[in-house]
Amino acid sequence: MATDRPPPGRRALVLGAGIVGVSVALHLQQRGWSVILADRKAPGRETSYGNAGLIESSAVLPHPFPRGLSTLLTLATNRSAALRYDPRVLPQIASWLLAYWRASRDGALAHIGPAFRTLIGAALAEHEALMAQVGATGLLRREGWLELCRSPQQLDDADREAALARSHGITAERIEQDALYALQPVLRPGLSGAIAWRDTGWIVDPGGLVEAYAALFTNRGGRILRADALALTGEAGGWQIRSEREEVVVADHAVVALGPWTGDLATRLGYRFPLAVKRGYHRHFAHNEGCRLTQPVYVRDEACLMVPMTRGVRLLSGVELAARDAPPSPVQLQQIETSARSMLPLGDPIEPAPWLGARPCLPDMLPVIGPAPRHPGLWFAFGHSHYGLTLGPVTGRMLAEMMSGETPFISPQAYRAERFAA
Ligand SMILES: Cc1cc2nc3c(=O)[nH]c(=O)nc-3n(C[C@H](O)[C@H](O)[C@H](O)COP(=O)(O)OP(=O)(O)OC[C@H]3O[C@@H](n4cnc5c(N)ncnc54)[C@H](O)[C@@H]3O)c2cc1C
């Protein structure tokens, strides 16, 4: 493995070099493990590349299924920019949807919410600790994001919701019209105000951040291997994989951190997790007229999120329920482009086609972080849904502590694989 003399029993093969796998690899390495990070692509090129970049410290709940009747009726029309679905996928995900619906009841959220907040509450500090080591703090911005409201009524509604967040200690400040335009003069007229969610950080190049973490890993002696994770096999007391170059590597422990592809390998190993995907699109647009947006903005009720990034303004769509590998259908992105252009002087799109990614989602909205129930030396870290960029380093630290026999800094109970009859 990566060192000539690996510590006994401390050779790990981490499968998947997204934010989760890279974070696990770094934290294991810090604890003296010899680690190989295997992926079929370069680090941070998939879901961890294309997200909104938010280190979402302001979230109280992990995106429960909407339960209000008027919202449900709107979603059922299948024309909402917030959620569209491919009717052909519904039979395949019916049991997942039902479990998600049940987990979104108030009674269930009373347990899920605190488990989610515990992870979220540690997220920014864990990122900052890694960024400081890699010298990547310049990729992090701390201005928070703005929830834009077109009418006084919307502003009042948003403020009422923000009050709940404030009761959890989150900074959510009501901003009236004049203050909003003073803060972001680039915004076009017609807004009544905004809620400023100040605790959230954002990354101006999420893929670049994962690459920087991966570079730290290799600089410290870690090894990145191009390999198909589906080639993983168990061997006496350990795990083995064959690289694209036909090199065979062995390890004492294997970590499955394959994001939305986790089920492909888990199923082969005999685990059937209820993992579905919520797909999403982005596209970058040039700033027109030399104007600059200096923080992410979300247009309330229009599912339109715009994040200023290194490449331009990244416009992100809502949720699409469709098969993971179905062809792209970026209708929602087209819908919100109209909203976006009514807010900002956007220029031409930068890429020829939108990016499509898939949020890996378990029905109780919490990730799996911990040992595999039936295979000694096999570990899971997946299912981070809307919050994987945020939660990568927290997950990495927790899992590395568990694997090293330490008491994890966050109790792993709520995230264990056994909660699913997998
Ligand atoms: C539109 C959108 C917006 C989002 N916005 C945010 C946000 O603002 N903040 C936030 O915190 N989260 C956000 N997310 C969610 C976040 O991006 C994901 O939860 C996170 O990236 C998942 O990370 P991961 O490491 O688990 O998966 P990935 O980044 O997908 O990594 C999995 C890796 O496994 C590799 N792999 C897969 N199969 C194989 C195989 N057979 N062999 C070898 N390698 C394989 C892939 O190449 C990939 O590198 C968003 C997601 C989307 C889609």
Side-chain angles (χ1 to χ4, degrees):
M1 303 280 295
T3 59
D4 290 341
R5 284 205 206 124
R10 292 209 163 192
R11 297 171 305 168
L13 180 58
V14 179
L15 302 166
I19 184 64
V20 175
V22 170
S23 300
V24 171
L26 269 176
H27 276 283
L28 284 171
Q29 191 181 47
Q30 282 177 8
R31 286 164 180 78
W33 287 66
S34 173
V35 185
I36 286 185
L37 183 57
D39 201 299
R40 59 189 173 194
K41 293 191 172 177
R45 290 292 92 203
E46 290 284 3
T47 331
S48 300
Y49 158 78
N51 53 65
L54 302 180
I55 307 300
E56 189 41 292
S57 306
S58 309
V60 175
L61 290 172
H63 277 274
F65 200 97
R67 295 183 75 87
L69 186 60
S70 67
T71 311
L72 288 174
L73 289 174
T74 307
L75 297 180
T77 64
N78 208 10
R79 284 164 195 228
S80 161
L83 173 76
R84 285 182 82 98
Y85 54 90
D86 177 350
R88 290 168 299 185
V89 85
L90 295 183
Q92 293 157 36
I93 62 168
S95 60
W96 176 86
L97 273 175
L98 183 62
Y100 181 22
W101 169 262
R102 287 192 175 133
S104 302
R105 288 183 296 205
D106 286 348
L109 289 177
H111 302 288
I112 291 167
F116 171 70
R117 282 289 315 152
T118 303
L119 295 178
I120 288 287
L124 194 49
E126 290 302 315
H127 261 293
E128 285 178 320
L130 289 186
M131 282 178 198
Q133 293 173 48
V134 80
T137 41
L139 294 176
L140 174 68
R141 301 283 188 278
R142 296 295 301 265
E143 289 87 347
W145 60 279
L146 294 175
E147 181 176 0
L148 303 178
C149 300
R150 288 192 194 265
S151 69
Q153 178 66 51
Q154 275 189 331
L155 186 56
D156 288 344
D157 292 346
D159 200 23
R160 261 192 301 279
E161 287 167 22
L164 171 70
R166 284 182 211 116
S167 73
H168 287 268
I170 289 164
T171 315
E173 196 182 310
R174 178 179 174 129
I175 298 188
E176 303 298 339
Q177 190 178 53
D178 290 352
L180 172 62
Y181 284 107
L183 193 62
Q184 293 297 339
V186 65
L187 292 170
R188 294 198 196 275
L191 292 164
S192 291
I195 303 295
W197 296 89
R198 296 209 186 277
D199 298 334
T200 297
W202 97 94
I203 306 294
V204 292
D205 178 3
L209 181 70
V210 182
E211 280 171 29
Y213 287 171
L216 178 66
F217 168 73
T218 50
N219 289 342
R220 289 180 173 169
R223 193 170 156 213
I224 294 178
L225 190 77
R226 285 289 174 105
D228 182 353
L230 301 186
L232 182 77
T233 53
E235 55 155 45
W239 299 93
Q240 177 175 305
I241 200 169
R242 186 180 292 271
S243 77
E244 281 178 1
R245 297 186 170 185
E246 298 293 318
E247 181 190 357
V248 174
V249 295
V250 293
D252 309 298
H253 295 257
V255 178
V256 183
L258 295 170
W261 295 274
T262 296
D264 298 358
L265 177 59
T267 308
R268 289 183 179 213
L269 295 168
Y271 297 93
R272 293 203 166 270
F273 291 106
L275 185 69
V277 296
K278 293 182 183 174
R279 306 203 315 176
Y281 299 84
H282 87 223
R283 200 168 196 186
H284 291 98
F285 290 82
H287 275 284
N288 236 355
E289 303 163 23
C291 291
R292 285 273 166 257
L293 179 71
T294 58
Q295 65 192 128
V297 292
Y298 177 78
V299 190
R300 186 175 167 85
D301 295 336
E302 294 172 34
C304 173
L305 175 62
M306 289 171 274
V307 185
M309 291 211 175
T310 314
R311 295 201 70 192
V313 177
R314 186 177 279 193
L315 176 65
L316 295 109
S317 69
V319 166
E320 182 194 31
L321 294 178
R324 185 191 66 197
D325 301 328
S329 165
V331 181
Q332 290 154 289
L333 206 56
Q334 289 154 13
Q335 281 176 284
I336 61 169
E337 192 179 328
T338 309
S339 292
R341 289 194 183 280
S342 75
M343 291 285 155
L344 277 180
L346 291 179
D348 291 332
I350 289 173
E351 302 94 348
W355 173 88
L356 164 63
R359 304 170 182 91
C361 297
L362 291 157
D364 66 0
M365 299 161 271
L366 296 173
V368 166
I369 306 169
R374 297 187 296 278
H375 291 78
L378 182 68
W379 303 80
F380 288 120
F382 70 95
H384 292 76
S385 67
H386 296 253
Y387 299 99
L389 183 72
T390 303
L391 297 178
V394 171
T395 302
R397 179 171 163 192
M398 281 176 68
L399 197 72
E401 287 170 344
M402 280 187 257
M403 291 173 68
S404 306
E406 300 167 26
T407 303
F409 80 119
I410 290 174
S411 166
Q413 181 69 9
Y415 323 104
R416 67 200 195 288
E418 288 85 349
R419 69 187 196 270
F420 300 108

